[in-house]
Amino acid sequence: MSERGLLADEHVPGPCIGVLRSVGYDVLRAKDEFEEGTEDGVLLDFAAETDRVVLTCDKRFIVVDGKQVTAHAGVVYADQVTLQRRPEDAASALNRVLTTIPPEDIQSSEFYLADWL
């Protein structure tokens, strides 16, 4: 698995986090680090500072206060149902993203897990 750390937003289901951890990912859950409802901009800043790719079920995570955030460690969008019902498939797809694309190309980029399933 990739050496990149992950920050799972508060809507990423537990089964997916468990599978990601079981295959070697260092996953921090936003709800363990921050209060519930913490603004996406705060999470993006934290992820950038700690070199963690954000895994989210939100539709437009990098738009904060109507402006697109361009300096971040990378964002992967995923369907919550897929993460809940097919966590192993989601983990494999996420691994393909993080091991196929060079880290410098992941930074400031967005990826859709459905494209990698």
Side-chain angles (χ1 to χ4, degrees):
M1 291 291 161
S2 170
E3 306 248 338
R4 303 288 310 259
L6 299 169
L7 177 64
D9 86 355
E10 63 190 25
H11 302 293
V12 174
C16 184
I17 292 171
V19 168
L20 288 168
R21 286 177 175 163
S22 74
V23 296
Y25 277 100
D26 175 16
V27 182
L28 288 180
R29 298 182 326 163
K31 64 184 176 182
D32 290 341
E33 300 294 317
F34 301 94
E35 292 184 25
E36 190 171 333
T38 296
E39 293 182 12
D40 293 347
V42 173
L43 300 179
L44 283 169
D45 288 345
F46 174 80
E49 291 168 8
T50 59
D51 195 31
R52 292 179 178 277
V53 173
V54 175
L55 177 61
T56 183
C57 298
D58 290 353
K59 299 288 185 213
R60 293 297 301 158
F61 195 84
I62 65 166
V63 176
V64 177
D65 296 329
K67 296 179 183 173
Q68 185 170 344
V69 176
T70 57
H72 56 81
V75 176
V76 176
Y77 296 99
D79 177 88
Q80 191 172 30
V81 173
T82 300
L83 297 180
Q84 179 72 34
R85 295 186 182 163
R86 299 173 44 205
E88 292 84 4
D89 293 341
S92 292
L94 183 59
N95 187 58
R96 283 192 292 280
V97 171
L98 298 178
T99 59
T100 302
I101 300 172
E104 62 273 10
D105 292 340
I106 291 175
Q107 291 179 348
S108 300
S109 296
E110 301 171 274
F111 302 91
Y112 295 87
L113 201 63
D115 294 339
W116 295 80
L117 286 170

